[in-house]
Amino acid sequence: MMTAAGNGMWAEFGQLAAFAPAISHFVTTRDGGCSKGLYAAMNCTHYVGDDPECVARNRQILCESLPVCPLCLAIPRQVHGNAVRVLRQDFLQMTEAQREDILQNVDALVTGVPGCCLCVSTADCVPILLYDPCRRVVAAVHAGWRGTVRHVVREALGEMARTFHVRPADVWAGIGPSISLDAFEVGDEVWEAFASAGFPMPSVSRRDAATGKWHIDLWESNRRELLQCGLHASHVEVAGICTYRHSGRFFSARRLGAKSGRILSGIQLNP
């Protein structure tokens, strides 16, 4: 179960929180920042049209509210793909411009570097945080429907295994606030994309009898991906919070439009 923390500015997964102080993690709410309008108030994502000064201040407020202040926030510019980037020690010494370049066109990050806080930005898409306490490795994954179809969480776990010899059975996962089955109405082409990608459609979709439209369950799709990769079911926590239904507390692009704020979900190994 997710619980509020940081004076309500962010929430945390119960299972991942149990690993403190080895790690810190968070999923921001809309509360506590200084952004205005559709970005109000805690928008920490820099490429969605918000005032850059507000974004910088919000990041500072967020970092100061965490149990251990990160050495850096690694926030990729996502493209709804399945590219995974491993961040190493040299990332901490890079300039902002160099970091921006490294983080272009990436939808999942992996690291074993303490103090490097891996983040993903979402507003209906699924944020997934991963932690292996045995190898001391963390990952953050952005899984919209396109990334889910492209098996982005599988790619992230594969990179964790290749680079750090992580065993999926040791990994713990949190599936964060995002759009629910009831709210995620899609066209036939999206249903067909999931079916072609091998998802068990009777378990992850439903046709609305009144509208004739398909609905896709992104939570269950990604949960099943994690289990198929080898995670224990008891290691996977699903927040169960629909951003579309709860857009007053969490940003929702379907409710607010693309030019609006983003939830920031992050995880770091504490020094």
Side-chain angles (χ1 to χ4, degrees):
M1 177 184 294
M2 294 204 82
T3 57
N7 293 322
M9 286 186 291
W10 45 275
E12 59 184 0
F13 294 99
Q15 291 185 338
L16 290 178
F19 288 104
I23 62 169
S24 298
H25 78 284
F26 59 85
V27 177
T28 61
T29 68
R30 295 186 63 178
D31 300 330
C34 64
S35 293
K36 305 298 183 183
L38 297 179
Y39 303 99
M42 181 55 81
N43 171 59
C44 295
T45 300
H46 57 288
Y47 56 83
V48 292
D50 195 4
D51 182 338
E53 292 186 6
C54 289
V55 173
R57 176 58 182 151
N58 289 343
R59 292 183 185 183
Q60 181 182 3
I61 292 169
L62 170 63
C63 289
E64 290 174 352
S65 76
L66 297 173
V68 178
C69 187
L71 298 176
C72 72
L73 295 176
I75 305 176
R77 192 175 185 107
Q78 301 151 186
V79 292
H80 298 275
N82 63 0
V84 184
R85 180 82 71 244
V86 177
L87 300 185
R88 304 182 187 277
Q89 192 68 38
D90 61 349
F91 184 80
L92 298 179
Q93 282 72 53
M94 290 180 181
T95 65
E96 281 301 314
Q98 290 172 325
R99 290 178 183 175
E100 285 279 336
D101 186 58
I102 288 290
L103 296 172
Q104 289 289 319
N105 305 325
V106 174
D107 283 88
L109 298 172
V110 177
T111 197
V113 178
C116 183
C117 186
L118 306 183
C119 303
V120 288
S121 304
T122 60
D124 292 331
C125 292
V126 183
I128 304 172
L129 302 180
L130 304 173
Y131 174 49
D132 176 4
C134 299
R135 299 297 191 276
R136 290 269 297 160
V137 177
V138 293
V141 182
H142 165 249
W145 77 260
R146 291 179 178 85
T148 300
V149 163
R150 294 182 173 112
H151 306 289
V152 63
V153 75
R154 182 190 302 176
E155 294 295 326
L157 285 163
E159 193 61 62
M160 293 172 77
R162 285 188 295 272
T163 304
F164 298 101
H165 308 292
V166 165
R167 298 180 303 178
D170 296 328
V171 175
W172 294 73
I175 297 176
S178 40
I179 199 165
S180 65
L181 168 69
D182 288 344
F184 191 41
E185 181 182 285
V186 301
D188 289 350
E189 73 284 357
V190 176
W191 189 94
E192 290 165 2
F194 274 80
S196 297
F199 286 89
M201 301 314 293
S203 300
V204 303
S205 68
R206 183 185 71 212
R207 188 188 286 275
D208 188 290
T211 66
K213 295 287 189 178
W214 285 107
H215 288 242
I216 297 288
D217 190 337
L218 294 178
W219 303 345
E220 182 63 11
S221 296
N222 282 285
R223 191 187 75 86
R224 285 176 175 265
E225 282 275 275
L226 291 166
L227 300 187
Q228 289 175 1
C229 288
L231 272 72
H232 295 296
S234 60
H235 287 196
V236 181
E237 182 175 351
V238 180
I241 299 170
C242 178
T243 46
Y244 185 82
R245 303 297 185 200
H246 298 280
S247 59
R249 183 153 176 76
F250 295 96
F251 290 110
S252 168
R254 282 207 171 193
R255 281 284 196 192
L256 305 172
K259 290 293 186 180
S260 59
R262 298 293 185 271
I263 300 163
L264 195 70
S265 300
I267 188 167
Q268 74 164 358
L269 300 168
N270 290 330

